[in-house]
Amino acid sequence: IPSGVTVEVADDVVRVKGPKGTLEERLHPNVTVTVENSEVRVTVADPDLKNDRALWGLFGSLIRSMVIGVTQGFGKKLEIHGVGYKMALQGQVLRLDVGFSHPVMFPIPQDVTVTVDKNTIMVQGNSKQRVGEVAAQIRHVKKPEPYKGKGIRYTDEVVRRKAGKTAAKTAS
């Protein structure tokens, strides 16, 4: 556990507090978590069972992500591609003009911050799950299409392009 971060376990709930906020996760009945000497130890009821071993790794990873979230935070970057496609931030609402007959108004949740710059959208927050979920919902408004590549995509996403229709050759 880094300095400035506290991890508490009470009533089958793990709470992680840090400079960027507080996160909590409910534990599975087969998982126990203990905090000793600035270390978090995750154990399971029966390490020989496949499902318990899966829970062991899952909760270890979840707690690790919670500690990173309250210290550094997480972020996802989206790009918008298309002629005439634009976006603007209006208070707690993201306005997306992405080729529909009307602008799409996307309300931004309280636990996530969104910043807009030219053709990029940056979604940031302390919960990895919430940041990914909000970024996926924004992308879902207009997914990139395979013919021209227009739409909203992650910056590291590769859109496989398809060839369009070719004109039929006339027989002479």
Side-chain angles (χ1 to χ4, degrees):
I1 303 173
S3 62
V5 176
T6 59
V7 178
E8 301 170 352
V9 182
D11 301 328
D12 292 336
V13 175
V14 176
R15 280 186 192 78
V16 180
K17 294 179 187 173
K20 292 197 179 245
T22 304
L23 293 173
E24 58 182 47
E25 185 72 39
R26 180 163 286 292
L27 293 174
H28 190 274
N30 294 354
V31 176
T32 56
V33 175
T34 57
V35 181
E36 344 171 305
N37 302 333
S38 72
E39 279 189 353
V40 179
R41 297 215 181 267
V42 180
T43 55
V44 290
D46 187 5
D48 295 330
L49 289 175
K50 187 176 182 180
N51 288 339
D52 281 6
R53 284 197 311 270
L55 290 171
W56 202 350
L58 169 70
F59 279 95
S61 181
L62 287 174
I63 293 170
R64 199 172 303 113
S65 291
M66 290 166 63
V67 170
I68 292 170
V70 297
T71 54
Q72 301 168 3
F74 292 99
K76 289 250 184 199
K77 208 173 201 180
L78 297 139
E79 292 178 337
I80 190 166
H81 289 272
V83 177
Y85 286 14
K86 57 187 175 184
M87 69 251 170
L89 203 56
Q90 300 172 342
Q92 282 296 103
V93 176
L94 180 66
R95 177 191 168 118
L96 298 165
D97 294 309
V98 286
F100 298 123
S101 61
H102 59 284
V104 177
M105 305 304 254
F106 183 84
I108 300 167
Q110 294 293 336
D111 56 348
V112 173
T113 59
V114 173
T115 55
V116 173
D117 179 47
K118 269 193 175 180
N119 67 337
T120 60
I121 304 167
M122 186 67 180
V123 181
Q124 294 175 315
N126 60 3
S127 172
K128 188 175 189 177
Q129 190 267 336
R130 286 295 290 153
V131 168
E133 182 179 358
V134 172
Q137 288 172 348
I138 292 172
R139 180 182 178 275
H140 185 73
V141 169
K142 185 76 172 188
K143 292 181 187 172
E145 53 97 15
Y147 295 102
K148 293 184 180 177
K150 299 183 341 181
I152 302 171
R153 67 176 86 161
Y154 298 109
T155 53
D156 56 352
E157 182 178 1
V158 176
V159 177
R160 293 186 58 204
R161 303 285 292 271
K162 291 183 179 179
K165 290 182 185 177
T166 54
K169 292 186 179 186
T170 56
S172 44

